[in-house]
């Protein structure tokens, strides 16, 4: 009877995801159905003359439980609707002549480089173009690419065995491993696994290939990263911003962390220079800095290399300063020492005088222009989040979103003037799906310092009424809840369910100066908790529609850690908790996670050298004081915070008789990404919140 009862119980818990009406055309509060079916616009790319915008759009095939990536082009001069030029593909980049687009798509199950020719002359034929042609025929999946400025060659990234002489060798080994009936693997160093993948002995390596007279690439490109024991681009989230051509195409720059035996506790990325013909081995340009150097951008005149650099080894959330290196002398200078923000990857103007970067800034994520000589910083586009941008011919094309709108594309000049929206994806969905208004507020937090948060009103808000509250705690911990759209922790999904939302950017958050960000290290349960308490009180005092007696706290990653911490030390105000992939036992977290540099920085060293630091704010030590009902969510492929952390917390809850549920997705990682899993996640969380805040 017990196995049958368990199966029935699991089936009942899974039912919310099955009852999904995907299309609701009548006006209604925003919900997860709207969220998962929205078109996701990304990767804006201006043509060399600035007339055409190429970009990616991910639509959702809900039945197949996956996203479909397509490529669109918009004639910015003519206007009108974008034209789909590639049904399935991503990473579109313009050819040097502006008449063709390169992109990545599968051929016989292997990711390859393709080209679609859009016509000749001043006006492209977007609707009547020729069929796309496959231009690479490599034996392995293409991981990333970057075209040379003259369009005659291309940088390619492949994951290979570094002792193989060619791609075919790596393919033969992969095929041989798949045929082997013995499935064991012997490891002699870390990483054994990283993020959501087990180490397979292969490295991302950088190659170059030249187009022939017919525009085709050879099956075997030339290796440029010879002798480099590291990944180019980095795993798991690196991209083509980590390598670059010089303007004359003769030199290639890239960043890499040498692995050796210290990879899991090192953030020492360095910049390398290598001849584009592969005639000599790469040369380390930033060996003196033992912290993170990355994202090379050569100046148009070839004299200067701009890049980003941190100063503190082993600290992934240190400030990224903009650096300039004289390529002849090797001398370096910091371009922006007076700017207390951490810059994102750089773009440089054609005249070399202006650099462009995004950065977190007091709840927003704007685009900035930085004078390359003086370091003067100018905010170009302030409100909302600029998630990507392209600069060509004095124009900027931006991917921009905010708390009420998913990404669309906007056009402005290089000075940020005349901002104009040029795409309107999801307009019909947003017309029918009502969202809640939001407002930022500030208060005095730890040490009487100013802290910022925001409140989102529930959909259908009426003055004089009180509403239950979802108190969301962000992860990172060096992150922020900002004015941006999200497909994982979107406040509008709670506002649409009738909840008000409160969130606080506590000490440790980004966008408020580096000292503010640094202050969380070694004090996970201290200053941030004080800020959360003060922010909760400030919100209740300021917004009378918040029902402080009917509130639940939710958090993921560090936010999940904080939920476990609050369960033992600040549980009085809360009707329920939701914990997603949180740290339950700081002691075991050190030995089970993969990126040890993070744990060692946040806790002042290793666990075996400083055990007291790991116990100071360890949630497991306060389990006896837990009493609030909790939903625990933890997935099987989360190697950042392994699933045993969530299972341990659920055991603690069940053993004490505290009302609790455990939701797991065996194939998901630290995030829940598949459309149907996302729906189930939201339906389960919403049901939990309503169960404990309902007045019935």
């Amino acid at each position: 009877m017990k196995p049958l009862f368990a199966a029935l119980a699991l089936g009942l818990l899974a039912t919310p995801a099955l009852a999904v009406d995907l299309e609701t055309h009548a006006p209604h509060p925003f919900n997860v159905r709207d969220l998962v079916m929205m078109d996701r616009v990304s990767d804006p790319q201006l043509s060399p003359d600035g007339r055409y915008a190429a970009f990616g759009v991910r639509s959702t095939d809900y039945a197949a439980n996956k996203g479909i990536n397509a490529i669109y082009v918009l004639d910015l001069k003519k206007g009108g609707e974008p034209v789909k030029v590639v049904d399935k593909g991503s990473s579109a980049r313009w050819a040097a002549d502006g008449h063709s687009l390169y992109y990545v798509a599968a051929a016989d199950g292997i990711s390859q480089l393709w080209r679609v020719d859009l016509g000749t002359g001043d006006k492209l034929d977007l609707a009547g173009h020729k069929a796309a042609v496959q231009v690479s025929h490599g034996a392995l999946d293409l991981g990333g690419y970057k075209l040379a400025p003259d369009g005659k060659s291309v940088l390619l990234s492949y994951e290979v065995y570094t002792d193989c002489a060619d791609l075919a060798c790596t393919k033969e080994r992969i095929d041989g491993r798949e045929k082997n009936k013995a499935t064991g693997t012997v490891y002699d160093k870390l990483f054994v696994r990283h993020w959501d993948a087990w180490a397979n002995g292969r490295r991302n390596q950088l190659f170059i290939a030249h187009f022939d007279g017919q525009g085709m690439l050879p099956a075997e490109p030339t290796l440029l990263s010879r002798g480099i024991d590291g990944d180019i681009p980095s795993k798991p989230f690196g991209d083509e911003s980590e390598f670059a051509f010089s303007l004359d195409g003769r030199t290639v720059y890239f960043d890499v962390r040498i692995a050796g035996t210290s990879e899991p506790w090192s953030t020492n990325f360095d910049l390398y220079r290598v001849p584009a013909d592969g005639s000599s081995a790469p040369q380390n340009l930033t060996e003196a800095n033992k912290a993170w150097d990355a994202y090379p951008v050569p100046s148009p005149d070839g004299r200067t290399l701009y890049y980003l650099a941190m100063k503190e080894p082993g600290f992934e959330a240190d400030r990224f300063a903009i650096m300039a290196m004289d390529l002849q002398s090797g001398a370096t200078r910091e371009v922006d020492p007076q700017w207390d923000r951490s810059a994102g990857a750089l773009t440089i103007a054609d005249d070399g005088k202006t650099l462009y970067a995004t950065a977190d800034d007091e709840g927003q994520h704007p685009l900035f222009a930085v004078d390359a000589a003086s370091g003067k910083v100018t905010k170009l586009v302030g409100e909302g989040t600029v998630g990507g941008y392209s600069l060509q011919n004095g124009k900027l094309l931006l991917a921009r979103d905010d708390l009420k709108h998913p990404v669309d594309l906007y056009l402005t000049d290089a000075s940020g003037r005349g901002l104009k929206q040029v795409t309107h994806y999801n307009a019909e969905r947003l017309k029918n799906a009502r969202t809640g208004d939001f407002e930022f507020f500030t208060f005095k937090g730890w040490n009487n310092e100013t802290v910022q948060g925001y409140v989102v009103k529930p959909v259908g808000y009426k003055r004089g009424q009180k509403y239950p509250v979802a108190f969301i705690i962000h992860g990172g911990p060096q992150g922020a809840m900002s004015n941006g759209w999200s497909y994982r922790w979107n406040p509008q999904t709670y506002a649409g369910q009738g909840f008000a939302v409160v969130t606080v950017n506590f000490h440790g958050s980004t966008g408020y100066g580096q000292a503010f960000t640094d202050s969380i290290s070694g004090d996970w349960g201290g200053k941030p908790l004080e800020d959360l308490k003060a922010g909760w009180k400030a919100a209740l005092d300021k917004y009378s529609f918040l029902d402080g007696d009917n509130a639940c706290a939710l958090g993921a990653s560090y936010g999940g850690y904080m939920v476990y911490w609050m369960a033992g030390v600040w549980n009085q105000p809360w009707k329920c908790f939701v914990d997603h992939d949180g740290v339950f036992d700081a002691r075991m977290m050190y030995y089970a996670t993969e990126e040890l540099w993070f744990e060692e920085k946040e806790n002042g060293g290793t666990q075996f050298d400083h055990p007291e630091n790991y116990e100071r704010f360890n949630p497991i030590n306060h389990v006896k004081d837990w009493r609030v009902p909790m939903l625990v969510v933890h997935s099987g492929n989360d190697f950042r915070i392994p699933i045993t952390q969530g299972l341990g917390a659920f055991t603690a809850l069940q053993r004490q008789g505290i009302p609790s549920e455990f939701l797991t997705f065996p194939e998901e990682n630290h995030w829940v990404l598949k459309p149907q899993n996302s729906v189930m996640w939201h339906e389960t969380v919403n049901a939990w919140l309503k169960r404990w805040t309902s007045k019935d």
Side-chain angles (χ1 to χ4, degrees), residues 597-662:
W597 68 75
F598 178 80
E599 289 296 310
E600 292 176 12
K601 166 60 182 176
E602 295 306 298
N603 293 286
T606 64
Q607 191 279 334
F608 46 83
D609 284 329
H610 302 280
E612 69 283 357
N613 294 349
Y614 289 77
E615 300 305 322
R616 183 184 178 197
F617 298 114
N618 195 351
I620 199 172
N621 295 330
H622 297 270
V623 166
K624 63 180 178 59
D625 295 317
W626 287 16
R627 57 178 57 89
V628 175
M630 187 185 301
L631 168 65
V632 177
V633 184
H634 220 117
S635 295
N637 277 344
D638 184 356
F639 301 156
R640 178 61 43 84
I641 302 177
I643 192 172
T644 49
Q645 295 279 318
L647 285 168
F650 185 57
T651 298
L653 292 158
Q654 288 281 299
R655 188 63 182 85
Q656 296 183 91
I658 299 171
S660 51
E661 292 178 359
F662 182 73

Side-chain angles (χ1 to χ4, degrees), residues 6-81:
L8 288 172
L10 286 171
L12 289 171
L13 288 176
T15 53
L18 303 179
V20 177
D21 178 13
L22 292 179
E23 297 293 338
T24 305
H25 299 288
H28 62 279
F30 185 84
N31 59 47
V32 64
R33 302 164 181 81
D34 302 305
L35 187 72
V36 299
M37 296 306 294
M38 284 188 158
D39 293 326
R40 305 188 189 187
V41 180
S42 65
D43 198 18
Q45 300 292 326
L46 276 172
S47 60
D49 63 2
R51 174 168 176 173
Y52 295 93
F55 54 96
V57 178
R58 196 197 103 160
S59 58
T60 298
D61 184 338
Y62 192 80
N65 203 23
K66 65 180 182 179
I68 305 297
N69 294 305
I71 296 169
Y72 287 75
V73 174
L74 173 63
D75 186 339
L76 296 169
K77 181 178 180 180
K78 179 182 176 182
E81 294 298 315

Side-chain angles (χ1 to χ4, degrees), residues 188-191 203 229-230 257-265:
D188 61 3
K189 63 179 181 179
L190 300 172
F191 293 115
R203 292 286 183 192
D229 180 19
R257 173 179 53 206
I258 301 302
T261 58
S262 63
E263 187 176 22
W265 52 90

